[in-house]
Amino acid sequence: MQTLMLPTTSPRDTAPIALLVSSLNHLLNYTLSGCQLSARHAAFLLDRLSNQDDVDEGLRLLCLQMSDRLEDGNMQHQLELAPRVLP
């Protein structure tokens, strides 16, 4: 799978479109591979996007909801992988 890489030293890396593209890239990687690191990166970027001043309220709410969902999914996945203690 080809990964889209955006420059991290550019002032554009905090622009809403760059954050959206990066978060979608990580989200796609997560859905295709189940990579939890990609899910965490997507959630982080969606949180950053939701905090941008020039993002409208609808997109802000969607970003927050998706970020929360990704974080909830990661927590559930970690619980499933945790060793179980037998009584």
Side-chain angles (χ1 to χ4, degrees):
M1 180 174 82
Q2 188 174 10
T3 303
L4 175 64
M5 299 298 291
L6 294 175
T8 56
T9 58
S10 167
R12 291 183 7 185
D13 69 347
T14 58
I17 191 66
L19 290 172
L20 183 58
V21 168
S22 294
S23 62
L24 288 174
N25 183 49
H26 284 291
L27 184 58
L28 178 62
N29 188 44
Y30 169 63
T31 60
L32 293 175
S33 68
C35 176
Q36 297 301 309
L37 184 58
S38 288
R40 286 192 296 271
H41 284 303
F44 171 77
L45 292 169
L46 289 167
D47 281 338
R48 283 185 60 189
L49 182 57
S50 71
N51 289 320
Q52 295 287 309
D53 292 333
D54 51 352
V55 170
D56 72 18
E57 194 61 27
L59 181 57
R60 183 181 321 280
L61 290 174
L62 286 173
C63 290
L64 290 172
Q65 289 173 343
M66 189 61 178
S67 176
D68 288 346
R69 180 67 181 114
L70 286 166
E71 289 171 1
D72 289 346
N74 285 335
M75 293 302 292
Q76 182 61 36
H77 181 74
Q78 289 172 4
L79 291 174
E80 290 170 1
L81 294 178
R84 296 177 191 240
V85 177
L86 297 175

